[in-house]
């Protein structure tokens, strides 16, 4: 089966060259010249890989990436970046991009990265029967997380989290009403090989609280002074 690639690139000459090279290699392609149109084409179509420029009109490439990864993790995304965009490369990888190439790039290198990304792409989950669809939905109070789509809902509104913020909130949600120390959280979310300051937990808790607070001021993550944190819906809960 022919793989289909979505090219989101505002420079028409570059987009056209990419299209010709990819179609010569046997890929099907589609092109979008703005971030908004690229996101629409992604949502309306089915693609095996996305080539995503960062500096796009209407919507920045990182914002496009965030919305793609809020939907699913399977489709590989390769960023097309300028040499000066080091910070954006890091942000992109943290947001779930699979790889990046720096402009100007050699087409042979890009083709190799495309083949590699498609080869190791996560299999896309098939549609499940209705009774099985919510098997990965975790909820506590007004907070819900769907593990398959990584969608976070608070008071029925979507919350946009970074991968690390998501992992931290998911860990808290899997242990509701349980007081968790900073060390426990570090070990579970950052891993055994993390040697940084435990204050990083406080920083990320603050980020998550700010984002949840934009939806509703109810504080669901409580601080247990001298210990750590607990996910608890209200003060009167026992």
């Amino acid at each position: 089966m022919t793989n289909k690639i979505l090219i989101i690139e505002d420079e028409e000459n570059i987009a056209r060259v990419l299209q010709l090279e990819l179609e010569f290699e046997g890929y099907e392609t589609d092109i979008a010249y703005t971030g908004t149109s690229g996101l629409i084409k992604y949502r309306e179509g089915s693609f095996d890989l996305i080539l995503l420029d960062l500096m796009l009109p209407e919507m920045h490439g990182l914002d496009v990436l965030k919305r793609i990864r809020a939907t699913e993790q399977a489709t590989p995304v390769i960023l097309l970046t300028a040499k000066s965009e080091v910070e954006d490369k890091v942000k992109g990888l943290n947001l779930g991009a699979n790889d990046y190439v720096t402009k100007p790039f050699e087409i042979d290198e890009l083709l190799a990265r495309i083949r590699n990304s498609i080869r190791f792409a996560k299999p896309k989950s098939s549609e499940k029967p209705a009774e099985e669809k919510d098997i990965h939905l975790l909820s506590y109070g007004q907070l819900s997380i769907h593990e398959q789509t990584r969608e976070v809902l608070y008071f029925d509104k979507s919350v946009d989290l970074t991968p690390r913020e998501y992992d931290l909130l998911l860990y808290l949600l899997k242990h509701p009403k349980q007081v968790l120390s900073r060390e426990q959280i570090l070990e579970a979310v950052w891993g055994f090989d993390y040697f940084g300051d435990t204050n990083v937990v406080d920083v990320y808790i603050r980020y998550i609280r700010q984002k949840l607070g934009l939806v509703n001021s109810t504080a669901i993550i409580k601080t247990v002074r001298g210990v750590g944190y607990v996910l608890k819906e209200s003060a009167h809960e026992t």
Side-chain angles (χ1 to χ4, degrees):
M1 186 176 70
T2 302
N3 294 120
K4 188 171 183 180
I5 296 175
L6 175 60
I7 304 164
I8 309 178
E9 166 63 65
D10 65 316
E11 295 186 47
E12 293 189 23
N13 290 339
I14 294 177
R16 181 58 179 157
V17 168
L18 287 172
Q19 183 179 45
L20 291 173
E21 293 286 354
L22 290 171
E23 290 183 351
F24 181 79
E25 293 294 321
Y27 297 104
E28 288 185 34
T29 64
D30 198 354
I31 298 177
Y33 297 106
T34 70
T36 302
S37 61
L39 190 61
I40 291 171
K41 287 196 174 188
Y42 158 73
R43 288 173 172 169
E44 293 179 347
S46 178
F47 298 94
D48 298 287
L49 184 135
I50 298 170
L51 293 177
L52 176 62
D53 187 31
L54 289 182
M55 302 304 294
L56 294 168
E58 296 183 4
M59 184 184 298
H60 193 277
L62 290 180
D63 293 322
V64 176
L65 178 60
K66 284 181 186 178
R67 285 160 175 77
I68 291 173
R69 287 296 179 248
T71 303
E72 49 91 9
Q73 300 291 312
T75 306
V77 176
I78 297 179
L79 303 179
L80 305 178
T81 72
K83 285 184 178 180
S84 61
E85 296 169 344
V86 176
E87 184 178 350
D88 282 344
K89 292 174 187 175
V90 174
K91 286 181 180 178
L93 294 172
N94 286 336
L95 288 171
N98 299 78
D99 203 350
Y100 68 84
V101 292
T102 302
K103 298 178 183 178
F105 48 79
E106 295 291 335
I107 192 64
D108 288 339
E109 177 189 359
L110 177 60
L111 291 172
R113 291 178 183 273
I114 289 172
R115 288 191 294 269
N116 186 66
S117 294
I118 291 176
R119 184 183 304 120
F120 294 104
K122 299 176 184 177
K124 296 181 180 180
S125 58
S126 57
E127 187 71 10
K128 293 186 177 183
E131 64 272 13
E132 296 182 18
K133 284 185 178 179
D134 291 334
I135 192 169
H136 294 287
L137 180 66
L138 299 175
S139 298
Y140 176 72
Q142 297 295 327
L143 177 66
S144 299
I145 293 179
H146 199 297
E147 289 189 89
Q148 285 183 315
T149 63
R150 297 175 71 89
E151 183 179 18
V152 178
L153 295 175
Y154 193 48
F155 284 85
D156 295 323
K157 292 186 178 180
S158 180
V159 181
D160 187 16
L161 300 179
T162 67
R164 186 73 74 185
E165 291 166 356
Y166 169 86
D167 290 341
L168 174 50
L169 186 58
L170 179 63
Y171 180 63
L172 293 174
L173 184 55
K174 287 183 175 181
H175 301 84
K177 297 188 283 186
Q178 179 180 335
V179 177
L180 300 167
S181 70
R182 290 172 177 81
E183 289 75 17
Q184 284 177 292
I185 295 172
L186 273 176
E187 182 177 305
V189 179
W190 276 262
F192 290 100
D193 56 349
Y194 181 81
F195 295 104
D197 196 322
T198 57
N199 285 340
V200 70
V201 175
D202 303 324
V203 172
Y204 274 83
I205 288 289
R206 185 170 72 251
Y207 293 159
I208 295 170
R209 281 173 169 167
Q210 288 172 348
K211 292 182 178 181
L212 295 179
L214 293 175
V215 174
N216 190 285
S217 60
T218 301
I220 193 171
I221 302 175
K222 318 288 186 183
T223 300
V224 180
R225 194 173 300 277
V227 182
Y229 298 95
V230 58
L231 191 73
K232 195 172 183 181
E233 192 175 11
S234 62
H236 66 265
E237 194 173 67
T238 58

